[in-house]
Amino acid sequence: MVMTTAPGTLAAHALSRFGFGAGPGDLDRVKSDPRGWVESQLTPRPLPAIVADHQGSAPRVADMAAARKAKGEVEEMAKKRGREQYRADIAIRTRLAAGSDAPLQERLVQFWSNHFTVSTQRPVIAPLGLAYENEAIRPHILGNFRDMARAAILHPAMLIYLDNAQSIGPDSKAGQKRDKGLNENLGREALELHLLGVDGGYHQDDVRAMALVLTGWTLDEERGTATFAPRRHQPGEKVLLGQRIPESGIAEAAAAIDMLCAHPATANHVAQRLARHFIADNPPPAAVTALAKAFRDSRGDLAHVTATLVKMDAAWAQPLAKMRSPNDFITATLRASAAEIPDDRIVNAMNLLGQMPFAAPSPAGWPDKAADWTGPDAILRRIDWSLAFGQRVGAKLDARSFIDTALGDLADDGLRQAVARAPSPAEALGLVLSSPAFQRR
Amino acid sequence: MMLHRRHFIATAGAAGLLAASSPRLSLAAAGTDRRLVLIVLRGAMDGLGAVVPYADPDYRSVRGTLALAEPGQEGGVLDLDGRFGLHPVLAPLHEWWGQKQLLAVHAIATPYRDRSHFDAQDLLDTGGIRAGDDSGWLNRALARLDGGGKGLGLSLGQGVPLVLRGSVPVASWAPSPLPEPTMDFMDRVAGLYSNDPVLGPALMAGLGVADMANGMDGNKKRDGGKDRLILAETAGRMLSDPAGPRIATLELSGWDTHVGQGTLQGRLPNALGQLAETMVALRTSMQAVWDQTLIAVVTEFGRTIRPNGTGGTDHGTAGVALLAGGALNGGRVLGDWPGLRDDKLFEGRDLAPTTDMRALLKGVLVGHLGLPAADIDRYVFPEAKSVRALPELVRA
């Protein structure tokens, strides 16, 4: 293991591992105390204005539901509006991360939002992604995991995405009256992906029990919010991982989620994912164990778990151990260049490089290992895009000073030489963005 | 003169920058004329909805609202062998059936018996080696081909799916509207990547195939939702090139039909329609080598026999796999049909598996690509030595 010691390298590492890379002035600002800079972000801050001003999910859910009932042109218009809102949201989110003075918090928002994925694989999710993240994830990144899990699993976007809005207890009043019934999707993914993890020791009976617990959680289409409809809820006691969940209607979901959050498998699952994201693709087992312990000891206090993580030597030991995902790469480019890029270009870049926010291919979210992002075509495309970016802004940005802004001591002599010898400003900038040091974090 | 990336590969060695660190991609090292396209359906296709066991006495009662009509009726299935019928949206493939260029294996499954997509896909991709291992069975098979398989593997898409990852370098390709940098620029980037164990090889593999795609007539660029077809057509042309790849993978999503699965309209017929379209595009674009071609269509597991409460199906166990192609000895439905009677189901809810997926995959590797069975047992499916390869999949 290589320990990072030089203050310049340590600062660059802090900025890219725990944020989205360095922007103008960041390295100087952070250099005197990189660890302190990271730790200073562990206190919750007020919502960024752009988030507080966001329309939110309720009017959008209501709008879509009304349009669906109206059908025809009204519905088509609503779909179009939804796609426009989606694109605008992506630009908002990316700019927020790129410009934040607490980038660790933005990285945590994106990490947890990916953990509790909702995706435009169901197109109806598109206008809800950012609202979901703002409402269910953001308030809890340094709060309690249990609160985040409740908020995420019972959020309208999740109820729609994983079909729970339509799930009905077979023995409920609604189930007896209509030829409708249970859908296991959210019950299963809550156990497998959000909480216990796939090796968490649950079985098909538990999947069904969790799905039954969640029956009744559906949408109030007029208000656009989540609601509990007792008529749809499966009556009777449920047994989940050997534990009884007594019949209590609306209270069952929270009781089940709380019980699962306290299960040791959930601590291990969360620890593994955090360590993979913040340390290395294959993190040291001791780091995972320590994070799981912090999670258990604090009963899911994410401020404590995150503090444990950022204080760990392992998180500082392997600079550039992680490959930037396309989302991270584009965000880092915006931060480092401080270039004025129109919204559409930001969104198109995400799409071109294969990672539109809130469009993960499955409920498991975006993958988090180098091999998932380094397909040959994906790498060529990043290089193509880097040069195209250089051609657009190269005239305004001197690549030699850009290296110092973006990479500092992470740039080796080879890169500095290549930049010095580049035949045009555009190509010089393209080389910095393409370079291994800028592709990694 | 157009400066293409393939030329770059040829000249860059002379420039000396790449030769030192990277194995040059050799595009013409193929010892086989056979082509294999593996289509992976991500999300678990409902096998009963694609290859319909319409003659099973329990079919109608267990499928309920998802049952399709008998052959000959309006919206009815297209008969295969008196027992099974194809979903009507697969009509183009029904023609292939008549030409003995389509084959189905029913009640097929990997050894995986739980119902997580992600673990099931890992197992399908690695070929039975525990999840977490980063080597796919198709990459290990490539390594056993003459010349070590270099230059013969192609992933259609920006990334490389796990099934094709491993020690043998493979290419990936997807349509892109971005302008292509000059050779000189790529040379400079290659210099920066020469010591990077991940980026260096990825760049080399990408360069090997990019020009091949661009050289194809029309230099097709992105066209909205048609990416999938451009992908298939361009892939077909690359695979037809004597100096091109021999083995390609393509992933299709949209099969996780928990809600609104539908019969003649809905999520499943949509996805099936896209599958048929993709396969037709492949066939059209690889006419010249169609006789040497096999397309294998697999998915991670099947879905529940009965509809769930929301007009869909949940995660199940056994499903269906398809083979197609000019090299195929087709026109058959293989596999022991366990039936849909309550006491025949797996855990009372799923189609019971009777054929191991690896029997089919082994049959393809032995019969089509000519890999020695001993190599397959040792290197490709070491966990499945006792699983017998399905025989006679390919025309004599």
Side-chain angles (χ1 to χ4, degrees), chain A residues 183 192 204 377 381 384 434, chain B residues 5 116 172 175 193 310 349:
Chain A
N183 185 309
E192 175 184 339
Q204 175 59 32
D377 192 69
R381 203 171 282 207
D384 293 354
S434 302
Chain B
R5 278 169 162 159
S116 153
S172 71
Y193 284 13
T310 56
R349 52 175 262 158

Side-chain angles (χ1 to χ4, degrees), chain B residues 191-203:
Chain B
L192 297 178
Y193 284 13
S194 59
N195 290 323
D196 192 297
V198 174
L199 294 170
L203 175 60

Side-chain angles (χ1 to χ4, degrees), chain A residues 213 228 233-238 245-256:
Chain A
V213 161
F228 181 77
H233 183 70
Q234 174 76 2
E237 175 184 287
K238 289 95 185 166
I245 310 269
E247 171 162 351
S248 53
I250 189 171
E252 286 173 31

Side-chain angles (χ1 to χ4, degrees), chain A residues 122 163 166 181-185 188 192 198 204 352-353 362 372 374 376-378 380-381 384 421 423 434 440, chain B residues 5 115-116 118-119 158 165 170 172 174-175 177 181 188 193 196 202 206 258-259 267 308-310 315 349:
Chain A
R122 297 279 165 87
D163 308 314
Q166 298 167 69
L182 194 66
N183 185 309
E184 292 177 358
N185 206 9
R188 176 183 305 282
E192 175 184 339
V198 68
Q204 175 59 32
L352 265 175
L353 299 190
S362 82
D372 297 304
T374 53
D377 192 69
L380 276 189
R381 203 171 282 207
D384 293 354
R421 291 174 186 163
S434 302
R440 294 170 175 276
Chain B
R5 278 169 162 159
R115 298 182 182 88
S116 153
F118 318 107
D119 272 10
Q158 287 191 41
R165 284 188 209 157
V170 299
S172 71
R188 292 167 198 264
Y193 284 13
D196 192 297
H258 284 283
V259 164
R267 289 179 203 275
N308 64 15
T310 56
H315 299 184
R349 52 175 262 158

